[in-house]
Tab-separated table of all heavy atoms in Angstrom:
chain	number	residue	atom	x	y	z
A	48	ALA	N	-16.124	3.636	23.320
A	48	ALA	CA	-16.254	4.264	22.000
A	48	ALA	C	-15.446	3.440	21.008
A	48	ALA	O	-14.243	3.239	21.191
A	48	ALA	CB	-15.742	5.704	22.052
A	50	LYS	N	-15.896	4.012	17.527
A	50	LYS	CA	-15.996	4.709	16.239
A	50	LYS	C	-14.650	4.622	15.517
A	50	LYS	O	-13.638	4.261	16.118
A	50	LYS	CB	-16.407	6.158	16.477
A	50	LYS	CG	-15.468	6.924	17.387
A	50	LYS	CD	-16.114	8.180	17.960
A	50	LYS	CE	-15.104	8.943	18.804
A	50	LYS	NZ	-15.700	10.110	19.453
A	54	TYR	N	-10.950	3.025	16.735
A	54	TYR	CA	-9.766	3.882	16.709
A	54	TYR	C	-8.643	3.243	15.883
A	54	TYR	O	-7.454	3.360	16.218
A	54	TYR	CB	-9.288	4.206	18.132
A	54	TYR	CG	-10.183	5.169	18.897
A	54	TYR	CD1	-11.561	5.030	18.892
A	54	TYR	CD2	-9.646	6.217	19.660
A	54	TYR	CE1	-12.378	5.900	19.603
A	54	TYR	CE2	-10.456	7.092	20.378
A	54	TYR	CZ	-11.825	6.920	20.337
A	54	TYR	OH	-12.634	7.783	21.043
A	74	TYR	N	-20.285	2.777	21.282
A	74	TYR	CA	-20.571	4.014	20.547
A	74	TYR	C	-19.844	4.017	19.215
A	74	TYR	O	-18.628	3.836	19.166
A	74	TYR	CB	-20.136	5.231	21.387
A	74	TYR	CG	-20.907	5.281	22.685
A	74	TYR	CD1	-20.453	4.583	23.801
A	74	TYR	CD2	-22.124	5.937	22.759
A	74	TYR	CE1	-21.192	4.556	24.976
A	74	TYR	CE2	-22.865	5.922	23.935
A	74	TYR	CZ	-22.396	5.227	25.033
A	74	TYR	OH	-23.138	5.203	26.181
A	96	LEU	N	-23.557	8.090	17.288
A	96	LEU	CA	-23.347	9.443	17.819
A	96	LEU	C	-23.820	10.546	16.878
A	96	LEU	O	-24.223	11.612	17.328
A	96	LEU	CB	-21.859	9.639	18.139
A	96	LEU	CG	-21.351	8.821	19.338
A	96	LEU	CD1	-19.828	8.757	19.334
A	96	LEU	CD2	-21.858	9.415	20.657
A	137	MET	N	-28.156	14.030	22.921
A	137	MET	CA	-26.943	14.790	23.241
A	137	MET	C	-27.309	16.242	23.515
A	137	MET	O	-28.014	16.875	22.722
A	137	MET	CB	-25.976	14.720	22.051
A	137	MET	CG	-24.717	15.562	22.185
A	137	MET	SD	-23.571	14.977	23.452
A	137	MET	CE	-22.771	13.611	22.602
A	144	ARG	N	-20.209	21.701	19.620
A	144	ARG	CA	-20.025	20.729	18.550
A	144	ARG	C	-21.408	20.166	18.288
A	144	ARG	O	-22.267	20.878	17.816
A	144	ARG	CB	-18.972	19.683	18.947
A	144	ARG	CG	-18.433	18.935	17.756
A	144	ARG	CD	-17.332	17.955	18.118
A	144	ARG	NE	-17.789	16.883	18.994
A	144	ARG	CZ	-17.074	15.804	19.292
A	144	ARG	NH1	-15.855	15.665	18.784
A	144	ARG	NH2	-17.539	14.862	20.073
A	166	MET	N	-26.954	12.576	27.325
A	166	MET	CA	-25.498	12.728	27.427
A	166	MET	C	-25.037	14.120	27.021
A	166	MET	O	-25.773	14.888	26.382
A	166	MET	CB	-24.787	11.672	26.587
A	166	MET	CG	-24.996	11.763	25.100
A	166	MET	SD	-24.055	10.468	24.222
A	166	MET	CE	-25.162	9.083	24.395
A	167	SER	N	-23.822	14.427	27.444
A	167	SER	CA	-23.127	15.603	26.947
A	167	SER	C	-21.658	15.233	26.825
A	167	SER	O	-21.252	14.144	27.248
A	167	SER	CB	-23.343	16.801	27.878
A	167	SER	OG	-22.799	17.969	27.290
A	168	HIS	N	-20.874	16.110	26.215
A	168	HIS	CA	-19.469	15.770	25.945
A	168	HIS	C	-18.583	16.930	26.383
A	168	HIS	O	-18.890	18.097	26.121
A	168	HIS	CB	-19.299	15.493	24.451
A	168	HIS	CG	-17.992	14.855	24.095
A	168	HIS	ND1	-17.554	13.671	24.658
A	168	HIS	CD2	-17.027	15.219	23.218
A	168	HIS	CE1	-16.371	13.351	24.141
A	168	HIS	NE2	-16.028	14.270	23.274
A	202	ALA	N	-18.876	11.533	30.784
A	202	ALA	CA	-17.416	11.394	30.727
A	202	ALA	C	-16.920	10.539	29.570
A	202	ALA	O	-17.375	9.420	29.360
A	202	ALA	CB	-16.906	10.806	32.036
A	203	ASN	N	-15.946	11.070	28.842
A	203	ASN	CA	-15.084	10.270	27.962
A	203	ASN	C	-13.897	9.807	28.809
A	203	ASN	O	-13.934	9.883	30.043
A	203	ASN	CB	-14.652	11.110	26.751
A	203	ASN	CG	-13.860	12.345	27.152
A	203	ASN	OD1	-13.826	12.727	28.321
A	203	ASN	ND2	-13.220	12.975	26.194
A	204	SER	N	-12.814	9.345	28.185
A	204	SER	CA	-11.652	8.876	28.965
A	204	SER	C	-11.148	9.967	29.903
A	204	SER	O	-10.937	9.737	31.103
A	204	SER	CB	-10.488	8.487	28.037
A	204	SER	OG	-10.890	7.559	27.070
A	205	ALA	N	-10.931	11.146	29.345
A	205	ALA	CA	-10.372	12.229	30.151
A	205	ALA	C	-11.359	12.657	31.239
A	205	ALA	O	-10.959	13.004	32.355
A	205	ALA	CB	-10.013	13.410	29.256
A	219	ARG	N	-18.109	6.802	28.759
A	219	ARG	CA	-17.926	6.459	27.342
A	219	ARG	C	-16.464	6.648	26.922
A	219	ARG	O	-16.163	7.460	26.048
A	219	ARG	CB	-18.788	7.370	26.455
A	219	ARG	CG	-20.219	7.597	26.896
A	219	ARG	CD	-20.960	8.494	25.902
A	219	ARG	NE	-20.320	9.768	25.679
A	219	ARG	CZ	-20.565	10.889	26.372
A	219	ARG	NH1	-21.464	10.906	27.336
A	219	ARG	NH2	-19.912	11.996	26.089
A	220	PRO	N	-15.530	5.920	27.527
A	220	PRO	CA	-14.127	6.128	27.141
A	220	PRO	C	-13.811	5.558	25.764
A	220	PRO	O	-14.428	4.581	25.331
A	220	PRO	CB	-13.356	5.360	28.220
A	220	PRO	CG	-14.278	4.260	28.625
A	220	PRO	CD	-15.673	4.847	28.529
A	221	GLY	N	-12.858	6.181	25.112
A	221	GLY	CA	-12.311	5.665	23.861
A	221	GLY	C	-10.790	5.594	23.981
A	221	GLY	O	-10.220	4.542	24.268
A	222	LEU	N	-10.158	6.742	23.838
A	222	LEU	CA	-8.694	6.821	23.759
A	222	LEU	C	-7.955	5.970	24.789
A	222	LEU	O	-7.008	5.251	24.441
A	222	LEU	CB	-8.267	8.295	23.923
A	222	LEU	CG	-6.765	8.540	23.846
A	222	LEU	CD1	-6.256	8.331	22.423
A	222	LEU	CD2	-6.406	9.934	24.334
A	223	GLY	N	-8.366	6.062	26.045
A	223	GLY	CA	-7.637	5.349	27.096
A	223	GLY	C	-7.672	3.841	26.917
A	223	GLY	O	-6.715	3.139	27.273
A	229	ALA	N	-5.087	10.081	28.679
A	229	ALA	CA	-6.138	11.078	28.489
A	229	ALA	C	-6.064	12.219	29.501
A	229	ALA	O	-7.010	12.970	29.632
A	229	ALA	CB	-7.506	10.404	28.561
A	347	TYR	N	-4.968	10.510	19.128
A	347	TYR	CA	-6.103	10.067	18.314
A	347	TYR	C	-5.691	9.932	16.851
A	347	TYR	O	-6.052	8.973	16.170
A	347	TYR	CB	-7.253	11.075	18.415
A	347	TYR	CG	-7.803	11.294	19.790
A	347	TYR	CD1	-7.224	12.209	20.661
A	347	TYR	CD2	-8.930	10.606	20.220
A	347	TYR	CE1	-7.742	12.424	21.924
A	347	TYR	CE2	-9.464	10.813	21.481
A	347	TYR	CZ	-8.866	11.726	22.332
A	347	TYR	OH	-9.376	11.936	23.579
B	401	PLP	C1	-15.234	9.985	20.792
B	401	PLP	C2	-16.216	10.213	21.861
B	401	PLP	C3	-16.033	9.638	23.117
B	401	PLP	C4	-14.740	8.957	23.514
B	401	PLP	O1	-13.771	9.974	23.738
B	401	PLP	P1	-12.267	9.693	24.161
B	401	PLP	O2	-11.667	11.040	24.313
B	401	PLP	O3	-11.638	8.934	23.031
B	401	PLP	O4	-12.294	8.913	25.422
B	401	PLP	C5	-17.048	9.767	24.039
B	401	PLP	N1	-18.197	10.460	23.739
B	401	PLP	C6	-18.385	11.041	22.549
B	401	PLP	C7	-19.623	11.804	22.304
B	401	PLP	C8	-17.400	10.964	21.571
B	401	PLP	O5	-17.576	11.586	20.404
Side-chain angles (χ1 to χ4, degrees):
K50 57 198 183 184
Y54 288 45
Y74 299 87
L96 290 164
M137 175 68 79
R144 198 177 64 170
M166 65 179 82
S167 187
H168 192 56
N203 61 347
S204 306
R219 315 181 304 269
L222 181 70
Y347 300 85

